[in-house]
Amino acid sequence: MRIFGKVRHRPSASWRQATDRAFTLIGDGRYEDAGALLTRAADLEPWLSESWFNLALLHKFRHDWEQARAAGLRAVALLDREAGAPDWWNVGIAATALQDWPLARRAWQAYGLKVPGGTAEPGEPTGMELGSAAVRLSPEGEAEVVWGRRIDPARMEIQSIPLPSSGRRWGEVVLHDGVPHGERTIESTGGSFPVFDEIELWAPSPVPTWVVLLEAATEADRDALETLAADAGFAAEDWSSSVRLLCRMCSESRMPSDEGDGEHLDPHDHSEPGRPGPLGHRTAGTGIGSLWVPERECGIAAPPALVRGLLDGWVADSPDSRDWRDLEEVC
């Protein structure tokens, strides 16, 4: 096969050495040095799609989306196959970051996904019905896995209430990577959901996060607040039962989302004092054990004008079994 007048062949030893060294440097966070090597590799073998795919990856790691799009387009122009290549997925991520919707539609369709409206529609792809998934916020830092709704193959709307340490809010949209890094299973339904790694914030949320201490005599009292918040178009989450610490190996593996019965410690919590593992949110309605403790630490996502009225209304519905105190805006 001839591409641009050259005979396609296996990459040279110099290309392989430069590429291998570059990915070692990427693993160490030395992106500038890696970029020089990958640029050299592309100069050595410009007719190889892998040369440009690797550069597109590097630019994705650096969040340099203009360069990622340019290198990605050069990679797909050299592909031997028409559909299913990861090169197209990287182009889709870069196009989504840049809000280049015609290119994003073209990329997802070329990868083999069904895109309502095809590539002719000018707006962002909607209606792809990708369902729920989980996303790992700050994957290189104090990672936290939260639940969300997939808008398209590269974006997810956060539906959990993240802890303030994440810097993220309920309702925010994050750009995420394409390859799942772990899986959560719901044993009660048999469903499984991929865990994607966040790349960056795509759209912020104007809704602040609050933490409040509740006195809820029963789980039904706690559930009533979550329902009240949802009915108002916002959210409340009982962090006392929904958040757990995990070791990194468990966080990045296939594991139940609602594990932990009785009064035993969570079998996936291998954290040590002073060295906590990644955080994870259970699905709604799951808890750590059967022993109910009335004092709950609860996260609430609601506007300042609404949050106190929401809590007061919750107490007014059952004043003998409910109370709240120490409301604080945390994110």
Side-chain angles (χ1 to χ4, degrees):
M1 175 182 293
R2 291 181 176 273
I3 301 177
F4 298 156
K6 290 186 178 289
V7 177
R8 186 175 178 85
H9 59 275
R10 293 176 61 86
S12 65
S14 296
W15 184 94
R16 292 195 300 269
Q17 290 169 0
T19 300
D20 291 346
R21 177 58 179 158
F23 277 93
T24 298
L25 293 172
I26 288 173
D28 295 335
R30 296 171 58 183
Y31 294 145
E32 292 296 331
D33 294 335
L37 286 171
L38 290 178
T39 300
R40 178 170 175 263
D43 289 339
L44 288 169
E45 307 279 4
W47 49 87
L48 283 181
S49 63
E50 291 90 341
S51 295
W52 305 104
F53 174 79
N54 293 337
L55 271 172
L57 272 182
L58 172 68
H59 295 313
K60 181 181 72 173
F61 296 150
R62 298 174 63 186
H63 303 181
D64 186 342
W65 300 116
E66 293 281 359
Q67 293 292 335
R69 176 174 59 182
L73 286 172
R74 295 196 68 168
V76 298
L78 296 167
L79 287 176
D80 293 333
R81 52 179 170 152
E82 294 186 1
D87 309 66
W88 278 114
W89 200 284
N90 282 336
V91 170
I93 292 174
T96 301
L98 295 168
Q99 300 186 42
D100 182 349
W101 300 125
L103 180 58
R105 287 173 167 274
R106 177 185 165 206
W108 304 135
Q109 193 170 52
Y111 186 80
L113 301 177
K114 292 182 179 179
V115 183
T119 58
E121 294 290 331
E124 61 186 277
T126 58
M128 296 185 71
E129 299 181 356
L130 298 174
S132 298
V135 61
R136 183 176 292 104
L137 306 176
S138 304
E140 301 302 325
E142 188 177 330
E144 178 179 352
V145 175
V146 298
W147 291 90
R149 178 183 66 88
R150 298 187 70 188
I151 299 172
D152 59 34
R155 291 181 298 162
M156 193 180 308
E157 180 185 19
I158 298 173
Q159 294 184 316
S160 299
I161 302 179
L163 297 178
S165 58
S166 73
R168 294 284 176 261
R169 290 176 167 182
W170 170 86
E172 288 187 326
V173 176
V174 296
L175 190 73
H176 65 77
D177 220 338
V179 179
H181 204 181
E183 190 175 86
R184 296 296 180 268
T185 61
I186 310 300
E187 294 186 333
S188 58
T189 63
S192 62
F193 302 87
V195 181
F196 297 98
D197 285 345
E198 175 195 29
I199 298 177
E200 66 182 16
L201 178 64
W202 192 87
S205 169
V207 181
T209 303
W210 309 79
V211 62
V212 64
L213 288 179
L214 303 180
E215 286 290 333
T218 67
E219 290 185 65
D221 288 307
R222 182 273 316 275
D223 294 346
L225 177 60
E226 295 182 350
T227 300
L228 198 63
D231 289 345
F234 299 100
E237 182 178 332
D238 179 7
W239 283 340
S240 297
S241 63
S242 70
V243 177
R244 55 179 168 173
L245 289 172
L246 307 171
C247 72
R248 184 167 295 276
M249 181 178 294
C250 287
S251 177
E252 296 176 355
S253 68
R254 175 184 172 94
M255 58 177 291
S257 173
D258 47 4
E259 184 76 36
D261 295 323
E263 300 179 17
H264 301 289
L265 292 175
D266 191 317
H268 300 287
D269 182 358
H270 308 308
S271 56
E272 302 173 6
R275 298 182 62 187
L279 297 163
H281 289 240
R282 288 180 171 84
T283 52
T286 59
I288 293 177
S290 58
L291 181 63
W292 180 256
V293 178
E295 185 173 277
R296 323 294 298 175
E297 185 176 60
C298 181
I300 298 179
L306 177 67
V307 63
R308 292 181 181 274
L310 193 69
L311 288 164
D312 287 341
W314 172 70
V315 171
D317 287 339
S318 183
D320 293 336
S321 62
R322 304 173 187 173
D323 200 4
W324 67 270
R325 69 179 191 278
D326 299 339
L327 178 67
E328 180 184 0
E329 184 177 345
V330 291
C331 183

